[in-house]
Amino acid sequence: MIRRRRYRFLGTVQGVGFRPFLYRLATEDGLVGWVQNRHDGVLAEVEGPEAAVNRFPGTVAAQLPPLARIAFWEGEDVNPCGEQGFRIVQSADGGEGTVHISPDAATCPDCLGELFAPRNRRYRYPFINCTNCGPRLTIINDIPYDRIHTSMASFPLCPDCAAEYENPADRRFHAEPNACPVCGPQVILLDAGGEILAHIDPIAEAVARLKEGQILAIKGLGGFHLAVDGTNNAAVRRLRTRKCREEKPLAIMVRDMEMVETISEINDIEKALLAAPERPIVLVHRREAADIACEVAPGSPNLGIMLPYTPLHHLLMKDQFTALVMTSANQTDEPICIENAEAVSRLAGVADGFLVHNRDILVRCDDSIAVVAGGIPQVLRRARGFVPRPLFLHRSFPPVLALGAHLKSTICIVKDNTAFLSPHIGDLETPQARDYFDGSVPLMERITESRPEFVACDLHPDFYSTRAARQRGGPVIPVQHHHAHIVSCMAEHGLSGKVIGLSMDGTGYGTDGQVWGGEFFVADERSFTRRGHFTYFPLPGGDKAIREPWRTAAGLLRQAYGKEWPAVATALALLPESCPADFLEGMMSGGVQNPRCSSLGRIFDGVAAILNIRRRVTFEGQAAIELEHLAAGRSGRILPYAVRKDAEPFLLDPAILVRAIVAGFLSGRDPRDLAADFHVTIVQALAEMAGLIREKTGTLDRVVLSGGCFQNRLLLEGCVTALKARLFNVFFHQLVPTNDGGISLGQAVCAGTIISDPQARE
Ligand code: ZN
Ligand code: ZN
Ligand code: FE
C-alpha cells in the first residue's frame, strides 16, 4: 500500500538543519515528496510504503537536530502522486507567522575540529559555522529565516560554499550564515582611534596586545566585549577605572573545561550548564588558589565563568590565556555596543584597540547569566543563547505586549500559547537604555509577527515603561509588581488557580502607594489578596537607601527601638557625619522623602549595614550579597521574631529580630554567625507565614517563590527545604529570572487572563 501524508511542524524548526534532516530521514527510508519552510512552520509531504510513512513523525521527534524544538505537529492524508525523489522546495512567503527563530548557538564540536585542522579550507577561519551552530537571532532582520534576511546577505557564497549550501547531504546545507575565508566576513584590528592596523595578523596581534595588559574591545555575537587578561591585576584595575565600575564582579571567559576545574569548585550540573550550546555565564565557587586577578571579583567567593562560544574566542584563547575578563562593552548603565563605529566612539578612552569584523550584529544580545541552586539550573539574566526561544503556556491568550518594570528590564509578547521574552535590556536609567527599550518593541513584534493591541505595565505611575505603555494608545492593563513576579513563576510551571505566593523582593509599587517587597499573597493569574507582609518600616531618603544601606538600617532601628533609636545608631557608629540622627528623625517622623517599606531585600541591606559589612554600595544588592557570602557554610540558630496574626494582613515583624542582631553585634559575636542566624530566622519566618495562610485558607498547598531575594541561594534552598518539610508543593524559577527580568512575563499572563474574561475582573 502506498500512502502520502502532509505534515506541518511548528516550533524552532528553521535555521536549525530541520529540512536536510527531514530529507535524510525520508531518503533513508525510501520515501519521496518534499519539504518547505513557510511562515507557519515547516510543511512536508512524504509518500511511500504505508509503514514507512506512518513511522516518519516518530522518527523525526526521536532524532531531532541539536537546536531544533517541535512545539506542535499535525498530519493529514493526501492523494499519492507518484513523484520521483525527495526535494527541498524554496521558502514560501505569506500566511500567519508562527515560526520560531533559533537562538545563537556556540561553535559545535564538528566545526571546532575543522577550525584547528591545518588541511581544512576553514583552518583558523573565525566565522566557521554549520546548521548546528553559529549566529542566528543576532544576524536576523526579518523572517522567514533565509540568508537574504540576515546580515550575511552582503556576502555572496563562493562556489565551494554554495555547493555545501545546496547539498542536502552536507552539514552546511542551508546553513544561512555559511562562509569561508574566500567569501565570508573578515576580522580587522583597529587602534585606539579607530584607524585600521594593516599588514598584521589581527588575531595574533590582538593576543600579543592582551598579553601586554591592553584592553581590547572585541566584537562578539550579540555585542562587543571589553577584554583584558584575567590574571593581570593591574590591567583589570585599569579596566575598572576606565569603565567606572568599582567593585561589581566581572565575567571571565576561561579557555576550556580543564582550566575551569583548576580555578573553581564545580559540580556536574554546573559543568553541563557551562558547556551547553547557550553558553551562559555561570556563577561558581572559586578555588582560593585560583590564578585569577583579585580585581575580577573583589571580596567574592564566586566567579562568573563562561566558555568560549564563537570561533574567534577559540582562536584568541587556545593555548594562550587562563582566562580573559570579558565584560559587556558599555559605560555603566548603558546597553552593550554593537556597531563598529559606535564602539569606537562610545569606548574612546576605555579600549586600547578594537578587534572588529564586517558581519553586522542586527539584534543586540548580552551574555546570559545562570546559576545552579538546589541542584537545578536557574537563569538570572536571559539573553544570548536563550532568546528568542519561547516559553509554552498552559493555555492560549489573546496577543498582549508587556513592558516590564524599570530595573533589569525585559519586554514580553504573549500570543496563543507561547510567550516570547526580549533579551535583557537593563536598567531604564539612561537615554541609551531607553532607546534600546523603544527598539525592542518593534523587534519583538517582528519576531512574533504580531502587533498586540493590549499593553500591560507596572502599577508605578512614573516608570519609563509605564509611560511608554500609555503612549502606545491602546488599552493599558497595569499589574502590581509582586503579583507579576508570582504569576511569572506560575507561568513557567504551567500553574493556574490559587496559590500561596511569597514575593520577596527589592522594591515595587504597592496598591497603597507604599514600597512593597516582602509580600505573602494568595494569588491566581487574575488577582491577588495580600494576606501578609513584613511590618512597614521607614525608609529615610527613599530610593537613596538602595545605594546607602545605612539609611535602611536607621529605618529598621527606628522601627525596633522607637524614639530610643539614635543611641543605638551611635553605639553602632552607623550614621555618616553629614546626616545626624535628629535630622533623620525629622525625616522619619515628618514623612517627607520617607516612604513606608515592607521589602525583605531592603531588610537584608539594613542588616548588612548594622553588622558593618557594607554601609554604602557601588551596585544594587551588593550589601545583601555580601551578607549571604558571610553566612555561607554556617548552620545558624533561629533568633526571635514576631508574627502578628490578630488581624489580616498578618504582619511579620522584624523588630525583635533586629534587636537580637544589634545586641549580638554589640556584645562582640562574630558577624558571620549573626549573618547565618539571620538567614535561618528569615527562612523559618517565611515558612511559618506560609503555614499560617494555608491554615486560614484551608486547602492551598502550592507555594510559589519569586522576587529578587531568591537569587540568594541560601534563602532559596532554605525555603525550599523548610516548605517541603511542611508538605508544601514548592515552585521556583528556572527558565526566567526570579528578579525583575521576569516581570514582563507575569504582566503579560495577568493581562491576557483579564482580557480573556473581562467580566470576572475584580
Ligand atoms: Zn557547527
Ligand atoms: Zn566561501
Ligand atoms: Fe521585583
Side-chain angles (χ1 to χ4, degrees), residues 534-601:
F534 276 86
T535 308
Y536 282 128
F537 53 90
L539 203 60
D543 281 347
K544 280 189 199 157
I546 293 175
R547 294 269 165 176
E548 300 176 341
W550 60 264
R551 290 176 180 274
T552 311
L556 288 173
L557 294 182
R558 173 72 158 57
Q559 193 232 12
Y561 294 92
K563 294 264 190 256
E564 308 302 313
W565 79 271
V568 184
T570 306
L572 293 168
L574 177 74
L575 305 179
E577 272 177 30
S578 58
C579 235
D582 53 349
F583 176 72
L584 284 169
E585 174 59 29
M587 247 175 151
M588 289 193 274
S589 50
V592 182
Q593 274 204 346
N594 180 39
R596 298 194 304 155
C597 170
S598 59
S599 155
L600 180 59

Side-chain angles (χ1 to χ4, degrees), residues 108 111 129-130 132-133 171:
C108 75
C111 287
N129 67 79
C130 72
N132 296 327
C133 74
R171 198 156 61 78

Side-chain angles (χ1 to χ4, degrees), residues 275-510:
E278 293 88 357
R279 287 289 199 282
I281 296 167
V282 181
L283 304 181
V284 297
H285 209 268
R286 73 181 285 165
R287 286 190 197 277
E288 296 227 338
D291 179 23
I292 296 296
C294 52
E295 284 287 346
V296 166
S300 172
N302 295 334
L303 287 172
I305 287 180
M306 61 184 149
L307 288 171
Y309 58 82
T310 69
L312 183 58
H313 294 154
H314 287 285
L315 291 168
L316 285 168
M317 298 208 69
K318 193 173 165 65
D319 307 325
Q320 299 290 357
F321 298 95
T322 299
L324 288 175
V325 166
M326 287 286 242
T327 184
S328 302
N330 52 8
Q331 298 282 0
T332 300
D333 291 338
E334 291 180 4
I336 188 168
C337 294
I338 56 172
E339 282 169 24
N340 297 351
E342 175 200 14
V344 170
S345 72
R346 274 175 60 196
L347 301 173
V350 179
D352 298 313
F354 299 83
L355 187 62
V356 305
H357 56 72
N358 54 345
R359 185 180 74 199
D360 289 339
I361 298 171
L362 300 181
V363 176
R364 193 188 305 267
C365 220
D366 251 300
D367 290 317
S368 296
I369 303 179
V371 66
V372 174
I376 293 172
Q378 276 189 292
V379 177
L380 297 181
R381 184 211 271 168
R382 192 172 182 277
R384 179 192 44 79
F386 294 93
V387 177
R389 190 182 298 150
L391 279 87
F392 295 102
L393 306 171
H394 71 282
R395 53 164 284 195
S396 277
F397 293 99
V400 182
L401 166 70
L403 295 181
H406 186 70
L407 301 176
K408 300 184 170 71
S409 159
T410 59
I411 66 168
C412 177
I413 289 182
V414 160
K415 183 185 167 189
D416 303 325
N417 67 336
T418 43
F420 294 85
L421 278 134
S422 74
H424 163 86
I425 297 166
D427 302 347
L428 302 181
E429 296 280 341
T430 61
Q432 290 85 351
R434 292 172 178 195
D435 284 349
Y436 181 20
F437 172 88
D438 292 339
S440 297
V441 174
L443 168 74
M444 294 309 291
E445 289 179 334
R446 244 178 5 253
I447 288 175
T448 58
E449 291 194 284
S450 63
R451 194 179 187 284
E453 182 193 359
F454 292 94
V455 194
C457 64
D458 198 273
L459 204 58
H460 197 300
D462 301 327
F463 278 174
Y464 182 76
S465 51
T466 306
R467 279 180 272 142
R470 284 202 214 96
Q471 277 159 16
R472 207 172 140 92
V476 174
I477 299 155
V479 179
Q480 199 279 326
H481 188 94
H482 302 102
H483 185 212
H485 268 307
I486 297 301
V487 175
S488 71
C489 189
M490 292 174 70
E492 73 165 87
H493 291 286
L495 304 182
S496 62
K498 287 198 170 9
V499 301
I500 296 174
L502 271 52
S503 204
M504 299 297 142
D505 204 24
T507 51
Y509 191 81

Side-chain angles (χ1 to χ4, degrees), residues 121 158 161 179-180 182-183:
R121 71 189 189 91
C158 71
C161 287
C180 77
V182 174
C183 65

Side-chain angles (χ1 to χ4, degrees), residues 467-719:
R467 279 180 272 142
R470 284 202 214 96
Q471 277 159 16
R472 207 172 140 92
V476 174
I477 299 155
V479 179
Q480 199 279 326
H481 188 94
H482 302 102
H483 185 212
H485 268 307
I486 297 301
V487 175
S488 71
C489 189
M490 292 174 70
E492 73 165 87
H493 291 286
L495 304 182
S496 62
K498 287 198 170 9
V499 301
I500 296 174
L502 271 52
S503 204
M504 299 297 142
D505 204 24
T507 51
Y509 191 81
T511 52
D512 57 0
Q514 304 300 340
V515 178
W516 291 13
E519 310 306 316
F520 300 84
F521 288 170
V522 169
D524 58 21
E525 308 98 300
R526 172 185 309 281
S527 62
F528 68 95
T529 34
R530 195 186 192 196
R531 303 302 288 259
H533 60 88
F534 276 86
T535 308
Y536 282 128
F537 53 90
L539 203 60
D543 281 347
K544 280 189 199 157
I546 293 175
R547 294 269 165 176
E548 300 176 341
W550 60 264
R551 290 176 180 274
T552 311
L556 288 173
L557 294 182
R558 173 72 158 57
Q559 193 232 12
Y561 294 92
K563 294 264 190 256
E564 308 302 313
W565 79 271
V568 184
T570 306
L572 293 168
L574 177 74
L575 305 179
E577 272 177 30
S578 58
C579 235
D582 53 349
F583 176 72
L584 284 169
E585 174 59 29
M587 247 175 151
M588 289 193 274
S589 50
V592 182
Q593 274 204 346
N594 180 39
R596 298 194 304 155
C597 170
S598 59
S599 155
L600 180 59
R602 291 290 88 81
I603 295 176
F604 268 85
D605 284 353
V607 168
I610 288 171
L611 296 177
N612 201 15
I613 294 163
R614 186 66 64 177
R615 287 179 173 164
R616 286 171 192 277
V617 300
T618 59
F619 60 94
E620 193 214 355
Q622 185 180 17
I625 290 168
E626 292 183 4
L627 188 68
E628 176 193 356
H629 292 159
L630 219 56
R634 291 170 184 258
S635 45
R637 295 182 317 205
I638 295 172
L639 298 173
Y641 63 91
V643 173
R644 308 199 183 285
K645 45 191 156 186
D646 31 310
E648 285 206 44
F650 306 127
L651 295 177
L652 178 44
D653 187 347
I656 334 175
L657 173 57
V658 168
R659 292 204 289 267
I661 287 169
V662 169
F665 184 66
L666 292 178
S667 71
R669 275 196 71 205
D670 188 336
R672 290 176 294 186
D673 289 326
L674 286 166
D677 293 353
F678 173 70
H679 276 82
V680 296
T681 307
I682 293 295
V683 165
Q684 164 76 18
L686 298 190
E688 186 185 330
M689 288 288 280
L692 195 58
I693 292 167
R694 175 170 58 187
E695 249 172 57
K696 291 284 176 178
T697 53
T699 51
L700 300 179
D701 68 347
R702 297 180 299 179
V703 176
V704 172
L705 306 177
S706 187
C709 291
F710 290 111
Q711 293 176 104
N712 179 326
R713 273 188 269 184
L714 287 183
L715 183 70
L716 176 64
E717 290 170 1
C719 283

